[in-house]
Amino acid sequence: AQPSAPSPISAPLRDLELGQLNFLHTTDTHGWLAGHLQEPSYSADWGDYISFSERMREKVEAQGQDLLVIDTGDRVEGNGLYDSSEPKGVYLSEILRHQHIDVITSGNHELYKQNTSETELLHTVPNFRGKYLASNIDIYHPETGELVPLAPRYKKFTTDLQGIRIVAFGFLFDFTGNYNNTVVQRVEDTIKEDWFQEAIRDKEVDLFLVAGHVPAHSSEWRAIYKEIRGTRWDTPIQFFSGHQHIRDYAKYDSKAVALASGRFMETIGFMSIDGLSTGSGPSKESQPTFKRRYIDNNLFSFYHHTGLDADTFPTKKGRKVSQLIAESRTALQLDQVHGCAPRDLWMSRVPYPNPNSIYTWLETKVLIETLKDESRGERPSVAILNSGAIRFDIFKGVFTQDTTWTISPFTNGFRYVKDVPYEKVQLIMEVLNKQTKILSTLQDNTEPSLLPLVPPEQLARPEEIIFDDDELSEGWLTSNMGGSSQVPLSASNIAGKIVPGYTTKDDAGDDGDDTIHAPISFYKVPNCIQALISANSSGVPEKVDLIYIEFVQPYLALAAKFAGLELDFVKESDVYMPNITLTDLILDWVRKHWKCE
Ligand SMILES: Nc1ccn([C@@H]2O[C@H](COP(=O)(O)O)[C@@H](O)[C@H]2O)c(=O)n1
């Protein structure tokens, strides 16, 4: 773990059930390879994960079993370790490559920008040669201009110890927001291609392994499931999923399941399968059995599951990578303190609006006090921001260079349209937040969906989860995750209390988490929030500058149409505060207002 990482807190644990074939899975790590430096439950780093997978491999191989390591994308954007270097990702890429990964795929974040996808092609794919799969992604090669597969479409391999024959694919969901140097083919079309049809007709296969940046419950996985089952009615299928930032497990039939392993290096997903046939013969069991576990990413869990301790657990490579992370963080000055947050600000643990909501803080403080383009003088304005632009909570205590990127990693700037009637802006907000169903009927297939305006976790959990008795969680959170010094209390301080955290319910029940936690409430947030910036008057202005973060422009255009506002946002908008991003505004505000005592 990193030198400043809090020690994990002991908690009751459920064991891993090892099987003939075992998997460790990460997804949506978004640059958090240093682990969580303010949350003991997730405080292990990528070096610890390397030690964990090496120790697990020793353990399972000693019993004649196999272990495979999977990563399903969105490794970039979301943490200073990725975002704060120039060019972005140079430190991260060097850290990531030390893990032995058997199947690795791309997420949507690898494709938003030209340089990110080119880095995948020129660095990550070669770093993981033979492991990186891209079943439905092509890229215009930066040197030849030719459209080529980002990586091989699929591969067939056999496991080291038992010779289990596996055909593996690597998919991305039907993503449309990629930069135009890549082409993402719809999954539903890809599976009709000859190469896929040939691959699933191979009779010498013991397991189809479908890894991808695709939710566990999704139309894309269902399409693949149906296509495979159409020709191979009983070959086991193991899907590895991502994108929604949740822990999830889906059962497609008794021989086909999907695992999703959370986000931000909070979770190491574990799967085991028993009862597979191998190259040397059929299985003795009539049915395969699947077991899943969501491991909290901390050393307490890792020691427990490997049966090792602080002296025996770390491997040489693991230690080296933890050291590399520490050096990279120092070089990037990620511990530089910009201010001290006086209280916790939550994305979804409190209702919105609320004094402790990060969105209320943005609306009532940050946007109002920082958004000002000198060229627009004192004109009143309304600023619109999508809630998904914010990625993480702010904890009471030090606000560092790293915090800046964890809460707001995107590089979007602001645009504006002048002289929009205030009433129309309110109608637009109404459409964006309340009339989303009506709006979606106006969309044709070429328009983006409205859903991605919110944080991904909310897409997966449309219902609020509210625990009346949040006393334990609240008290614990205040003292452990956001104490002014950011130093967690030791186990003895909270003796007898269960640590708040994941309490996952999935298709296999409610016993998936390795750590038994107290539940945390989850409140919904709107698609978009707004701030009225009315320089000289307290009344409601007739017309305003409609300022918005770039990401929402296509959604705004649709909502405006429905609100009866004839506006061509592409032609009639202009840049607001050139070269300034939301991240810059937040940092500026924090520096001015959150002085450390
Ligand atoms: N420039 C961007 C990019 C993304 N978002 C938000 O993130 C969501 C997608 O996140 P995943 O990690 O699930 O891919 C997207 O739905 C937006 O809410 C953004 O705001 N700006």
Side-chain angles (χ1 to χ4, degrees):
Q2 290 303 288
S4 66
S7 302
I9 292 164
S10 57
L13 290 181
R14 298 182 181 100
D15 289 334
L16 305 183
E17 295 177 77
L18 301 183
Q20 179 191 2
L21 179 58
N22 303 279
F23 298 91
L24 295 176
H25 175 220
T26 48
T27 192
D28 296 87
T29 49
H30 285 287
W32 288 73
L33 300 192
H36 289 233
L37 304 181
Q38 297 176 315
E39 292 179 283
S41 291
Y42 317 119
S43 53
D45 65 25
W46 193 250
D48 301 318
Y49 177 46
I50 289 173
S51 296
F52 182 56
S53 46
E54 290 185 333
R55 296 301 186 205
M56 286 297 291
R57 180 168 285 109
E58 289 166 8
K59 187 171 171 172
V60 304
E61 288 186 353
Q63 302 176 45
Q65 303 163 336
D66 288 290
L67 177 83
L68 298 174
V69 178
I70 316 286
D71 182 85
T72 48
D74 272 11
R75 292 172 288 277
V76 303
E77 295 188 323
N79 189 285
L81 203 50
Y82 175 83
D83 291 281
S84 69
S85 67
E86 194 51 60
K88 287 178 188 286
V90 281
Y91 290 88
L92 191 90
S93 169
E94 194 46 42
I95 296 161
L96 188 81
R97 62 192 279 269
H98 292 286
Q99 174 63 301
H100 168 108
I101 300 180
D102 296 282
V103 176
I104 180 168
T105 74
S106 170
N108 49 308
H109 280 266
E110 278 82 10
L111 308 186
Y112 275 118
K113 297 198 201 102
Q114 180 171 1
N115 63 341
T116 326
S117 51
E118 288 181 353
T119 302
E120 286 300 288
L121 179 74
L122 301 176
H123 298 285
T124 318
V125 172
N127 285 346
F128 292 96
R129 199 172 295 288
K131 319 288 180 179
Y132 203 124
L133 298 177
S135 299
N136 62 336
I137 305 172
D138 289 333
I139 183 164
Y140 287 98
H141 197 286
E143 281 143 29
T144 64
E146 200 192 338
L147 188 65
V148 293
L150 175 65
R153 300 289 189 222
Y154 77 105
K155 68 171 179 175
K156 184 171 181 186
F157 65 105
T158 51
T159 61
D160 288 346
L161 267 70
Q162 299 160 95
I164 300 169
R165 297 161 303 176
I166 297 177
V167 166
F169 304 98
F171 279 95
L172 173 61
F173 71 93
D174 295 341
F175 178 50
T176 55
N178 49 314
Y179 190 74
N180 64 17
N181 70 320
T182 56
V183 176
V184 179
Q185 188 178 32
R186 282 171 55 78
V187 170
E188 294 77 357
D189 298 332
T190 309
I191 58 180
K192 299 295 175 197
E193 293 207 334
D194 291 347
W195 68 264
F196 186 83
Q197 292 295 329
E198 267 169 41
I200 62 172
R201 276 172 178 75
D202 185 341
K203 290 193 177 129
E204 308 296 308
V205 177
D206 304 308
L207 177 74
F208 286 109
L209 169 54
V210 189
H213 200 73
V214 180
H217 290 88
S218 61
S219 53
E220 289 94 334
W221 272 176
R222 185 148 288 282
I224 293 177
Y225 163 74
K226 278 189 176 166
E227 201 66 26
I228 297 178
R229 279 286 170 265
T231 49
R232 292 277 160 259
W233 66 273
D234 77 340
T235 306
I237 310 172
Q238 174 69 57
F239 293 92
F240 284 99
S241 302
H243 183 51
Q244 287 181 319
H245 291 191
I246 58 164
R247 295 178 171 187
D248 198 14
Y249 182 72
K251 274 189 185 170
Y252 285 89
D253 66 27
S254 61
K255 295 182 178 181
V257 303
L259 182 81
S261 304
R263 60 165 200 179
F264 302 166
M265 278 292 281
E266 291 170 352
T267 304
I268 306 298
F270 170 82
M271 276 297 318
S272 69
I273 314 178
D274 262 324
L276 292 171
S277 57
T278 72
S280 14
S283 163
K284 287 186 202 95
E285 290 146 60
S286 60
Q287 280 281 359
T289 44
F290 297 84
K291 303 281 179 201
R292 55 87 178 89
R293 193 65 85 219
Y294 309 104
I295 302 169
D296 273 9
N297 179 41
N298 66 63
L299 286 172
F300 180 76
S301 282
F302 289 174
Y303 294 162
H304 177 89
H305 297 308
T306 53
L308 300 170
D309 58 28
D311 295 326
T312 53
F313 172 79
T315 63
K316 202 169 156 204
K317 193 167 154 195
R319 277 188 206 274
K320 216 175 116 195
V321 172
S322 293
Q323 177 67 29
L324 181 60
I325 297 170
E327 286 162 9
S328 306
R329 285 183 48 80
T330 304
L332 292 167
Q333 301 184 315
L334 295 183
D335 288 326
Q336 187 191 349
V337 176
H338 294 300
C340 285
R343 62 185 192 283
D344 302 323
L345 290 172
W346 305 112
M347 289 173 65
S348 58
R349 285 186 201 183
V350 293
Y352 161 87
N354 185 290
N356 297 323
S357 159
I358 199 163
Y359 298 108
T360 303
W361 170 69
L362 286 166
E363 277 179 346
T364 59
K365 300 283 180 199
V366 180
L367 295 177
I368 287 185
E369 292 170 19
T370 58
L371 258 180
K372 184 164 171 54
D373 187 321
E374 294 306 332
S375 73
R376 299 302 297 153
E378 296 299 305
R379 289 175 186 82
S381 55
V382 171
I384 295 182
L385 184 72
N386 66 304
S387 53
I390 295 297
R391 300 286 277 189
F392 203 61
D393 306 311
I394 297 177
F395 300 137
K396 181 178 171 184
V398 287
F399 187 106
T400 63
Q401 178 66 9
D402 205 16
T403 320
T404 319
W405 294 108
T406 58
I407 59 170
S408 172
F410 303 129
T411 50
N412 300 114
F414 290 89
R415 298 186 71 78
Y416 78 104
V417 178
K418 63 181 178 192
D419 295 337
V420 180
Y422 179 77
E423 273 177 23
K424 290 284 183 196
V425 176
Q426 293 316 303
L427 262 180
I428 290 173
M429 283 301 288
E430 166 100 13
V431 174
L432 285 172
N433 284 334
K434 299 200 177 122
Q435 310 291 335
T436 51
K437 275 199 183 136
I438 299 172
L439 189 61
S440 62
T441 62
L442 289 180
Q443 294 176 264
D444 61 37
N445 288 338
T446 59
E447 299 285 7
S449 150
L450 265 183
L451 292 173
L453 289 168
V454 289
E457 302 85 319
Q458 184 162 312
L459 292 183
R461 289 168 158 183
E463 272 107 49
E464 298 200 315
I465 306 169
I466 301 161
F467 296 98
D468 284 344
D469 188 2
D470 247 0
E471 214 177 283
L472 171 63
S473 303
E474 291 297 327
W476 194 92
L477 288 167
T478 320
S479 56
N480 286 275
M481 291 165 69
S484 55
S485 60
Q486 292 297 343
V487 177
L489 299 180
S490 67
S492 58
N493 293 100
I494 56 155
K497 289 189 179 179
I498 300 177
V499 176
Y502 281 99
T503 50
T504 310
K505 287 197 174 69
D506 60 25
D507 282 4
D510 59 5
D511 60 354
D513 302 306
D514 80 326
T515 309
I516 298 175
H517 284 296
I520 295 173
S521 293
F522 178 83
Y523 292 89
K524 282 173 70 166
V525 293
N527 279 334
C528 289
I529 59 166
Q530 62 169 325
L532 171 60
I533 308 162
S534 191
N536 293 328
S537 88
S538 53
V540 171
E542 202 185 312
K543 288 193 171 171
V544 292
D545 280 351
L546 173 55
I547 309 168
Y548 55 89
I549 193 146
E550 277 170 320
F551 185 78
V552 305
Q553 180 165 294
Y555 310 88
L556 214 53
L558 279 171
K561 221 190 276 180
F562 190 70
L565 189 65
E566 281 306 318
L567 252 183
D568 182 337
F569 276 81
V570 176
K571 288 196 185 134
E572 294 177 56
S573 68
D574 208 344
V575 176
Y576 196 85
M577 296 181 81
N579 304 319
I580 296 292
T581 63
L582 175 65
T583 319
D584 297 326
L585 296 184
I586 293 174
L587 186 56
D588 184 42
W589 192 92
V590 165
R591 279 189 179 138
K592 277 193 193 125
H593 297 272
W594 279 351
K595 303 273 181 236
C596 296
E597 297 289 290

